[in-house]
Amino acid sequence: MSLKVYINGQYFDKEDAKISVYDHGLLYGDGVFEGMRSYGGVVFRLEEHIDRLWKSARAILLDIPVTPADLAQAVNDTLAENNLSDGYIRLIVTRGAGTLGLDPNRTSNPQVIIITDKITLYPDEYYENGLEIITASTIRNHPAALSPRIKSLNYLNNVLAKIEGLKAGCIEALMLNHKGEVAECTGDNVFIVQQGTLLTPAIDAGILQGITREAVIELAKDHSIPVREIPLTRHDIFIAEECFLTGSAAEVVPVVKLDDRVIGDGTPGPITRKLKEQFGRLARGKR
Ligand code: PMP
């Protein structure tokens, strides 16, 4: 049976789920999105994702033509329609079809799209042995140009850094901000451990306020692991005891090398392993 895709309140077979080539989401990356996971039929932090979607939309003056509660319900309905219990969900709102010009006032019909699918997990090996990543030469968007807090359909900045990573044989790449500080990876937030303290760049470093990041900060506090949100440089990662990334798809994944330099003892450290396990339990409702 073909997967069903939700578009504006209707389900379409995956093959027939289509929108206009005049949609400004396609023409200009003019729209917003969320990536979420469901565990045992329950979407992890659905409300937070819906809230972030609304904030992204507000930042680009896009009115989402449904209520947050209805959209949350539609996400759950789409999962049920596809009989998915452990899945990945992509929620998209485009500006809608308009003219070939930029003018958003000439678009009429924002498209609300929900795609639910099986989740493609990273191989176990990444979690057991840790990732090797590189620093991309592509810096994160300057917050005054296009705020990284907006999860917009314009992901070229991240795509370019991802290409650099892939060319170097790495599935993630570290992105610095316009000040040369550590920002985040192409689709994940970054944490390090120094002297038992968890350190991560603050939101004003020009990063996405990751929902997994927030959950990990809460978990660390619950387990009496001190957390500080401060500016970090590559130097801090080189001298860190541990490093890991967080994201909805990846959950918590250890990093053991940056730019061919070994971090800590080159294996996933104890705080990383603990938070990975705790996050896994939290997401699966076993806490
Ligand atoms: N940074 C970027 C650039 C991302 O695209 C993502 C994934 N949405 C994240 C961080 C992690 O955010 P979350 O934990 O909300 O998935």
Coordinates of all heavy atoms in Angstrom, one line a residue, residues 35 49 52 140 151 155 158 184-189 208-213 246-249, ligand 1:
G35 N 11.1 18.7 11.3 CA 11.4 17.3 11.2 C 11.2 16.7 12.6 O 11.7 17.2 13.5
H49 N 7.5 21.4 18.5 CA 7.7 21.5 17.1 C 6.7 22.4 16.4 O 7.0 23.2 15.6 CB 7.7 20.1 16.4 CG 8.9 19.3 16.6 ND1 10.1 19.5 15.9 CD2 9.2 18.3 17.5 CE1 11.0 18.7 16.3 NE2 10.5 17.9 17.2
R52 N 7.6 25.9 17.3 CA 8.7 26.4 16.5 C 8.3 26.7 15.1 O 8.8 27.7 14.5 CB 9.9 25.4 16.6 CG 11.2 25.9 16.0 CD 12.4 25.1 16.2 NE 12.3 23.8 15.5 CZ 13.1 22.8 15.6 NH1 14.2 22.9 16.5 NH2 13.0 21.7 15.0
R140 N 27.9 29.4 8.8 CA 26.4 29.5 9.0 C 25.9 30.9 8.5 O 26.7 31.8 8.6 CB 26.1 29.3 10.5 CG 24.7 28.9 10.8 CD 24.4 27.5 10.4 NE 23.0 27.1 10.7 CZ 22.0 27.3 9.9 NH1 22.1 27.8 8.7 NH2 20.8 26.9 10.3
K151 N 13.5 27.9 10.8 CA 13.7 26.7 10.1 C 13.0 26.8 8.7 O 11.8 26.4 8.6 CB 13.2 25.5 10.9 CG 13.8 24.2 10.5 CD 13.5 23.2 11.6 CE 13.8 21.8 11.1 NZ 15.1 21.5 10.6
Y155 N 17.5 25.8 2.7 CA 18.6 25.1 3.5 C 19.9 25.1 2.7 O 20.8 24.2 3.0 CB 18.1 23.7 3.9 CG 17.9 23.6 5.4 CD1 17.2 24.5 6.1 CD2 18.5 22.5 6.1 CE1 17.0 24.5 7.4 CE2 18.3 22.4 7.5 CZ 17.6 23.4 8.1 OH 17.4 23.3 9.5
N158 N 23.2 25.0 4.6 CA 23.5 23.7 5.2 C 23.8 22.7 4.2 O 24.7 21.9 4.4 CB 22.3 23.2 6.0 CG 21.7 24.3 6.9 OD1 21.4 25.4 6.5 ND2 21.6 24.1 8.2
E184 N 26.9 25.2 14.8 CA 26.2 23.9 14.9 C 26.6 23.1 13.7 O 27.4 23.5 12.8 CB 24.7 24.1 14.9 CG 24.1 24.8 13.6 CD 22.7 25.2 13.7 OE1 21.9 24.5 14.4 OE2 22.3 26.2 13.0
C185 N 26.1 21.9 13.5 CA 26.3 21.1 12.4 C 25.2 21.3 11.3 O 24.3 22.1 11.6 CB 26.5 19.6 12.7 SG 28.1 19.3 13.5
T186 N 25.3 20.7 10.2 CA 24.3 21.0 9.1 C 22.9 20.6 9.5 O 22.0 21.3 9.0 CB 24.7 20.2 7.8 OG1 24.5 18.8 8.0 CG2 26.1 20.5 7.4
G187 N 22.7 19.7 10.4 CA 21.4 19.3 10.8 C 21.3 18.9 12.3 O 20.4 18.2 12.7
D188 N 22.3 19.3 13.0 CA 22.4 18.9 14.4 C 23.0 20.0 15.3 O 23.9 20.7 14.8 CB 23.3 17.6 14.6 CG 22.7 16.4 13.8 OD1 21.6 15.9 14.3 OD2 23.3 16.0 12.8
N189 N 22.7 20.0 16.5 CA 23.4 20.9 17.5 C 24.6 20.2 18.1 O 24.7 19.0 18.0 CB 22.4 21.4 18.6 CG 21.3 22.3 18.1 OD1 20.1 21.9 18.1 ND2 21.7 23.5 17.6
L208 N 20.0 27.0 15.2 CA 18.6 26.6 15.4 C 18.4 26.1 16.9 O 19.3 25.4 17.4 CB 18.2 25.4 14.5 CG 16.8 25.0 14.6 CD1 15.9 26.0 13.8 CD2 16.5 23.6 14.0
Q209 N 17.3 26.6 17.5 CA 17.1 26.1 18.9 C 16.5 24.7 18.8 O 15.3 24.5 18.8 CB 16.1 27.1 19.5 CG 15.9 26.8 21.0 CD 15.3 28.0 21.7 OE1 14.9 29.0 21.1 NE2 15.3 28.0 23.0
G210 N 17.4 23.8 18.8 CA 17.0 22.4 18.6 C 16.1 21.9 19.8 O 16.4 22.2 20.9
I211 N 15.2 21.1 19.4 CA 14.3 20.5 20.4 C 15.0 19.4 21.2 O 14.8 19.2 22.4 CB 12.9 20.1 19.8 CG1 12.2 21.5 19.5 CG2 12.1 19.2 20.6 CD1 11.1 21.5 18.5
T212 N 15.8 18.7 20.5 CA 16.6 17.6 21.2 C 17.6 18.3 22.1 O 17.9 17.8 23.2 CB 17.4 16.8 20.1 OG1 16.5 16.5 19.0 CG2 17.9 15.5 20.7
R213 N 18.2 19.4 21.6 CA 19.2 20.2 22.4 C 18.5 20.6 23.8 O 19.1 20.4 24.8 CB 19.6 21.4 21.6 CG 20.4 22.5 22.4 CD 20.6 23.7 21.5 NE 21.4 24.7 22.1 CZ 21.0 25.6 23.0 NH1 19.7 25.6 23.3 NH2 21.8 26.5 23.5
T246 N 23.2 16.6 18.7 CA 21.8 16.2 19.0 C 20.9 16.7 17.8 O 21.1 17.7 17.2 CB 21.3 16.9 20.2 OG1 21.4 18.4 20.0 CG2 22.2 16.6 21.5
G247 N 19.9 15.9 17.5 CA 18.9 16.2 16.5 C 17.8 15.2 16.6 O 18.0 14.1 17.1
S248 N 16.6 15.6 16.0 CA 15.5 14.7 16.1 C 15.7 13.4 15.4 O 15.3 12.3 16.0 CB 14.3 15.4 15.4 OG 13.9 16.5 16.1
A249 N 16.4 13.4 14.3 CA 16.6 12.1 13.6 C 17.8 11.3 14.3 O 17.6 10.1 14.6 CB 17.0 12.3 12.1
Ligands
PMP1 N1 20.4 22.5 13.6 C1 19.9 22.4 12.4 C2 20.4 23.3 11.3 C3 18.9 21.5 12.1 O1 18.4 21.4 10.8 C4 18.4 20.6 13.1 C5 17.3 19.6 12.8 N2 16.1 20.2 12.7 C6 18.9 20.8 14.4 C7 19.9 21.7 14.6 C8 18.4 19.9 15.5 O2 17.2 20.3 15.9 P1 16.1 19.3 16.5 O3 16.7 18.7 17.7 O4 14.9 20.2 16.8 O5 15.8 18.3 15.5

